[in-house]
Amino acid sequence: MERDALESSIEWILSSKKTLVLTGPEISAESGLPDFSDPEFNPPISNFRSSREVRAKYWKSLRSAYHLLANAAPNPAHEALAELGMMGYVHSLFTQATDGLHQRAGTLDVIELHSSIQWIICTSCGKDARTDDIMSVLEKGAEVPACEACGKDLLKPGISFPGQPPPHWEIREAWMQLHGCELFLIAGASLDVQPGASLPAVAHEQGAKIVIISERESLADDYAHAVIYGKPSQVLPHILGKIKERIELN
Ligand SMILES: [Zn+2]
């Protein structure tokens, strides 16, 4: 961990009046989860709707990954962010993750930029269902689950597949919240996937300090005020610990 970047980030978290957080697949991966924004889980919507074979392949992939999700637990990165939130240092958290682990860790205000893998919607009649219930249907041998209401087998998670508009409310909310943001803390997000990819530039225009915590380099590193290369599950608890020390000293 770079000492200056780390020290500066701690100062900014302590002094910022409005800190927003963006997280993504690196944090999910540390809980043993696959990247649900991977093409395997995101077939183009036109292919998905027109081909039963594409749908069967999709449900097979999702079923094996969902098994991991059912057994996954929040990791120290989720927990540190939840605790920073409870201490009043996080205004809201945007995430590219669809797995619900931030909520399970106790973060209250989560904006899911890619919606959630935990809900399924019928693209024919709009009826929704819990993914858990659809998984039970698949366990019983169905290759492609059908809608309980209309009987068509055009169910999918609320996640936007290529060719579908991204979740409208969430993106609008993220943009609105960036207004007046003083610190934008990006941890384990994928900055080449929209809509998250455009958010650092918006925060930058708002005059926010930008801190990136990631094992990987990204295009946004060039204009970030601090980049900490490391695992979010190690860096975030470290930051939390330092903040607690500082509070106790004062
Ligand atoms: Zn239906």
Side-chain angles (χ1 to χ4, degrees), residues 122 124-127 147 149-150:
C122 173
S124 186
C125 75
K127 173 146 177 71
C147 173
C150 73

Side-chain angles (χ1 to χ4, degrees), residues 58-209:
Y58 171 79
W59 286 109
K60 196 174 169 200
S61 298
L62 188 64
R63 188 180 154 194
S64 59
Y66 202 78
H67 175 71
L68 298 172
L69 178 57
N71 294 305
N75 65 55
H78 296 108
E79 285 158 5
L81 287 170
E83 199 167 342
L84 284 171
M86 279 182 256
M87 291 164 76
Y89 291 113
V90 177
H91 183 83
S92 337
L93 184 145
F94 313 149
T95 187
Q96 297 165 319
T98 57
D99 48 45
L101 290 182
H102 282 298
Q103 293 91 325
R104 274 171 57 189
T107 295
L108 300 176
D109 196 356
V110 180
I111 297 171
E112 294 176 306
L113 296 172
H114 295 205
S115 187
S116 169
I117 201 84
Q118 294 167 300
W119 286 93
I120 300 290
I121 293 158
C122 173
T123 61
S124 186
C125 75
K127 173 146 177 71
D128 55 8
R130 279 158 38 94
T131 307
D132 287 348
D133 296 337
I134 300 299
M135 289 299 144
S136 313
V137 172
L138 296 175
E139 295 298 332
K140 285 176 193 149
E143 270 196 325
V144 181
C147 173
E148 265 191 355
C150 73
K152 298 214 172 105
D153 64 356
L154 293 169
L155 305 177
K156 68 179 281 294
I159 292 166
S160 299
F161 287 172
Q164 284 192 296
H168 183 75
W169 181 89
E170 285 79 1
I171 293 167
R172 188 166 171 272
E173 186 66 16
W175 278 64
M176 301 239 304
Q177 294 223 12
L178 279 165
H179 185 75
C181 169
E182 292 187 2
L183 175 63
F184 194 36
L185 179 64
I186 302 167
S190 170
L191 293 176
D192 47 15
V193 176
Q194 291 294 1
S198 62
L199 298 180
V202 179
H204 192 251
E205 280 167 24
Q206 293 281 330
K209 288 267 191 299

